[in-house]
Amino acid sequence: MARNFQFKEATREGHVLKMALWGPSGAGKTYSALKIAYELTDGGNVGVIDTENGSSGLYADMADDQMRNPTMRKGWRFQSLEFGAPYDPRELTQLLNKYSSEFDALIVDSASAFWNQEGGLLEIVEQAGARVKGNNFAGWKVGTPIQEALKEAILRSKCHIILCMRARTTFEISRDDRGKSKVEKLGLGPIQRDTTIYEMTIGAEIDADHKMHVDKSRCSAVADKTYSPNSSTSKIEEFAREIKSWLGTAEADKAESDMEQMLEASRNLDDDGNLVPAEATTTLNSALAPEPEVIQAPVPVESTPILDSDDGIDIDALIDEITPLAKKNLPIW
């Protein structure tokens, strides 16, 4: 039976953030992820799947901008699930499918454990390949569907998802002008499957100085920007507010209204692009407005009742009075 497909106007309404955040140990991934989650949810229901020996608990009760956000006066409150080895990605998939509708935001700290630590995907692939005499292709035939199921759980979740990942130095092998191979250091890369980053809304790296650089973004407002805890304008919370605003102004009607306001404002600019005050605009519009057309009221025609001596209508006299009026008002007589 054929399905009934239907196009509709595309908006960002109902979308949530899917973010990958990677960096070296001590860079501030957990702290930054919690700060972003609380800013996005207005201090809502946040959960942490913790593979780091419960280290996320160190940030419980931390007060964060209490004057600006009254919901934070008692500090950060979140639910933590301590996840130990083996780090089977299939179990992470089950957790995301089960709990993503119960939280406003979920943080996985760290998602790298489900890739290269005990019981992670690389171990699953290795064991599957060993069963067919070390056939690596056969191993990935088992591992790839597991990774794809995890990816689908992340993308289809109903809450914000932030994946914290450990980082390693990445290199690229290329050839110089003489054809000799050379190794170039590219920087830090996340410890997870490469395709995981491509699926995220945002991909960002935090360095040892706690600076977060946005490497990959579907939101142009934050693309390629760096956010530093020591900056007065580009802090992590400013990044979260940009994302929150971007996701919160997604309705097509809102976008159309904003465009109308922008067009209206552009009509009130002078030749140099400066805004004309409302009083000046009103005066200018009055001066340019066309003079109203003056419509003269018709001059009433005096007439007297035409009656015969017997109080009946005198037809001849009536015709004599109507004839000049008809000739005056009809184009063709």
Side-chain angles (χ1 to χ4, degrees):
M1 187 177 188
R3 289 183 288 174
N4 183 23
F5 294 105
Q6 186 175 1
F7 283 94
K8 65 178 181 179
E9 186 169 7
T11 74
R12 292 189 301 276
E13 185 177 8
H15 285 251
V16 288
L17 177 67
K18 309 297 168 61
M19 181 176 183
L21 186 62
W22 64 90
S25 178
K29 299 184 293 296
T30 307
Y31 174 80
S32 298
L34 284 166
K35 183 177 281 289
I36 292 168
Y38 270 98
E39 189 68 43
L40 287 173
T41 64
D42 290 324
N45 192 15
V46 175
V48 179
I49 299 174
D50 189 332
T51 69
E52 303 292 313
N53 299 312
S55 62
S56 61
L58 297 173
Y59 299 103
D61 300 325
M62 178 175 288
D64 182 65
D65 203 353
Q66 298 176 8
M67 295 299 293
R68 190 186 64 81
N69 191 344
T71 64
M72 302 299 292
R73 287 181 180 169
K74 294 182 179 180
W76 288 347
R77 293 284 194 273
F78 56 89
Q79 300 289 319
S80 176
L81 186 154
E82 293 191 29
F83 198 116
Y87 301 101
D88 192 323
R90 289 167 290 196
E91 292 185 309
L92 176 58
T93 299
Q94 292 172 359
L95 287 172
L96 293 177
N97 286 332
K98 181 177 180 179
Y99 290 108
S100 66
S101 59
E102 298 183 16
F103 288 92
D104 299 317
L106 274 174
I107 299 168
V108 182
D109 185 24
S110 138
S112 297
F114 298 95
W115 175 252
N116 71 339
Q117 294 188 37
E118 181 184 346
L121 191 71
L122 292 183
E123 187 172 295
I124 292 173
V125 170
E126 182 181 359
Q127 291 174 351
R131 288 194 291 268
V132 282
K133 300 180 180 179
N135 187 328
N136 189 56
F137 178 79
W140 280 108
K141 191 174 180 180
V142 173
T144 297
I146 295 174
Q147 184 75 7
E148 287 299 304
L150 175 58
K151 181 192 74 175
E152 286 298 310
I154 295 169
L155 297 181
R156 295 184 183 278
S157 68
K158 295 180 175 63
C159 69
H160 302 292
I161 299 286
I162 302 176
L163 304 178
C164 296
M165 303 177 185
R166 296 181 180 181
R168 63 177 169 224
T169 304
T170 57
F171 300 90
E172 182 181 61
I173 299 176
S174 60
R175 295 186 180 277
D176 59 20
D177 297 338
R178 293 176 293 179
K180 292 186 176 181
S181 298
K182 63 177 182 178
V183 178
E184 293 181 293
K185 182 178 177 180
L186 299 180
L188 294 177
I191 299 178
Q192 247 292 341
R193 194 167 189 175
D194 295 339
T195 55
T196 303
I197 307 303
Y198 305 141
E199 303 291 348
M200 299 293 103
T201 315
I202 301 287
E205 174 190 329
I206 296 185
D207 62 21
D209 295 324
H210 316 302
K211 294 180 180 179
M212 185 183 82
H213 178 74
V214 180
D215 283 1
K216 182 258 181 184
S217 174
R218 293 180 181 176
C219 173
S220 59
V222 301
D224 299 319
K225 289 187 177 180
T226 298
Y227 296 87
S228 170
N230 299 321
S231 171
S232 59
T233 57
S234 298
K235 293 184 178 180
I236 298 292
E237 50 265 45
E238 293 299 326
F239 161 82
R241 289 169 197 160
E242 288 280 8
I243 296 297
K244 182 179 179 181
S245 175
W246 178 65
L247 292 172
T249 57
E251 297 84 353
D253 291 344
K254 176 70 165 59
E256 185 175 350
S257 174
D258 291 345
M259 180 63 73
E260 287 294 335
Q261 292 180 13
M262 186 170 64
L263 290 174
E264 183 63 31
S266 69
R267 297 189 187 104
N268 297 333
L269 300 179
D270 59 21
D271 294 338
D272 297 325
N274 299 315
L275 183 66
V276 179
E279 298 80 1
T281 303
T282 303
T283 304
L284 179 62
N285 290 339
S286 300
L288 296 178
E291 294 183 1
E293 182 181 357
V294 179
I295 302 176
Q296 296 182 348
V299 179
V301 179
E302 295 182 0
S303 62
T304 56
I306 305 174
L307 302 174
D308 60 11
S309 57
D310 296 328
D311 292 334
I313 297 176
D314 188 338
I315 301 300
D316 292 335
L318 180 61
I319 292 174
D320 291 341
E321 184 170 337
I322 290 176
T323 298
L325 293 174
K327 287 182 178 180
K328 180 179 180 181
N329 292 286
L330 297 177
I332 300 176
W333 176 248

Short mmCIF file of all heavy atoms in Angstrom, two decimals, residues 50-57 82-84 87 109 166:
data_model
loop_
_atom_site.label_atom_id
_atom_site.label_comp_id
_atom_site.label_asym_id
_atom_site.label_seq_id
_atom_site.Cartn_x
_atom_site.Cartn_y
_atom_site.Cartn_z
N ASP A 50 27.67 8.93 32.87
CA ASP A 50 29.04 9.20 33.31
C ASP A 50 29.89 7.93 33.25
O ASP A 50 29.66 6.98 34.00
CB ASP A 50 28.99 9.75 34.75
CG ASP A 50 30.33 10.28 35.24
OD1 ASP A 50 31.38 9.80 34.77
OD2 ASP A 50 30.31 11.16 36.12
N THR A 51 30.90 7.93 32.36
CA THR A 51 31.85 6.82 32.29
C THR A 51 33.18 7.18 32.95
O THR A 51 34.15 6.43 32.85
CB THR A 51 32.12 6.44 30.82
OG1 THR A 51 32.85 7.49 30.19
CG2 THR A 51 30.83 6.19 30.07
N GLU A 52 33.23 8.35 33.60
CA GLU A 52 34.48 8.88 34.16
C GLU A 52 34.52 8.73 35.67
O GLU A 52 34.90 9.67 36.39
CB GLU A 52 34.65 10.34 33.75
CG GLU A 52 34.63 10.58 32.24
CD GLU A 52 35.85 9.98 31.56
OE1 GLU A 52 36.97 10.19 32.06
OE2 GLU A 52 35.67 9.31 30.53
N ASN A 53 34.08 7.59 36.17
CA ASN A 53 34.13 7.31 37.61
C ASN A 53 33.35 8.33 38.44
O ASN A 53 33.78 8.71 39.54
CB ASN A 53 35.58 7.24 38.09
CG ASN A 53 36.37 6.15 37.39
OD1 ASN A 53 35.91 5.01 37.29
ND2 ASN A 53 37.55 6.49 36.88
N GLY A 54 32.23 8.79 37.91
CA GLY A 54 31.38 9.71 38.66
C GLY A 54 31.92 11.11 38.79
O GLY A 54 31.49 11.86 39.67
N SER A 55 32.86 11.51 37.91
CA SER A 55 33.49 12.83 38.06
C SER A 55 32.52 13.98 37.83
O SER A 55 32.76 15.10 38.30
CB SER A 55 34.67 12.95 37.08
OG SER A 55 34.22 12.85 35.74
N SER A 56 31.41 13.74 37.14
CA SER A 56 30.45 14.82 36.91
C SER A 56 29.86 15.31 38.22
O SER A 56 29.44 16.48 38.34
CB SER A 56 29.34 14.35 35.97
OG SER A 56 28.62 13.27 36.54
N GLY A 57 29.82 14.44 39.23
CA GLY A 57 29.27 14.82 40.53
C GLY A 57 30.04 15.94 41.20
O GLY A 57 29.52 16.61 42.10
N GLU A 82 26.14 6.30 36.59
CA GLU A 82 27.53 5.87 36.46
C GLU A 82 27.58 4.59 35.63
O GLU A 82 26.97 3.58 35.98
CB GLU A 82 28.16 5.65 37.83
CG GLU A 82 28.32 6.95 38.61
CD GLU A 82 29.18 6.78 39.85
OE1 GLU A 82 30.07 5.90 39.83
OE2 GLU A 82 28.96 7.52 40.83
N PHE A 83 28.31 4.64 34.54
CA PHE A 83 28.39 3.55 33.57
C PHE A 83 29.81 3.01 33.57
O PHE A 83 30.75 3.72 33.19
CB PHE A 83 28.01 4.06 32.18
CG PHE A 83 27.64 3.01 31.19
CD1 PHE A 83 26.37 2.94 30.65
CD2 PHE A 83 28.57 2.05 30.78
CE1 PHE A 83 26.02 1.97 29.73
CE2 PHE A 83 28.25 1.08 29.86
CZ PHE A 83 26.97 1.02 29.33
N GLY A 84 29.99 1.77 34.01
CA GLY A 84 31.31 1.16 34.04
C GLY A 84 31.50 0.15 32.92
O GLY A 84 30.59 -0.15 32.15
N TYR A 87 31.92 -1.16 28.02
CA TYR A 87 31.24 -0.01 27.44
C TYR A 87 30.62 -0.39 26.10
O TYR A 87 31.04 0.07 25.03
CB TYR A 87 32.22 1.15 27.29
CG TYR A 87 32.82 1.58 28.61
CD1 TYR A 87 34.11 1.19 28.96
CD2 TYR A 87 32.09 2.35 29.50
CE1 TYR A 87 34.67 1.57 30.18
CE2 TYR A 87 32.64 2.74 30.72
CZ TYR A 87 33.92 2.34 31.05
OH TYR A 87 34.46 2.72 32.27
N ASP A 109 29.36 11.43 28.92
CA ASP A 109 30.71 11.84 29.29
C ASP A 109 31.47 10.62 29.86
O ASP A 109 31.31 10.27 31.02
CB ASP A 109 30.63 12.95 30.35
CG ASP A 109 31.99 13.52 30.72
OD1 ASP A 109 32.91 13.41 29.89
OD2 ASP A 109 32.11 14.07 31.83
N ARG A 166 37.07 12.37 24.43
CA ARG A 166 38.50 12.60 24.60
C ARG A 166 39.12 12.90 23.24
O ARG A 166 38.54 12.59 22.20
CB ARG A 166 39.16 11.39 25.24
CG ARG A 166 38.66 11.12 26.66
CD ARG A 166 39.34 9.92 27.28
NE ARG A 166 38.85 9.67 28.65
CZ ARG A 166 39.30 8.69 29.41
NH1 ARG A 166 40.22 7.85 28.95
NH2 ARG A 166 38.82 8.54 30.64
#
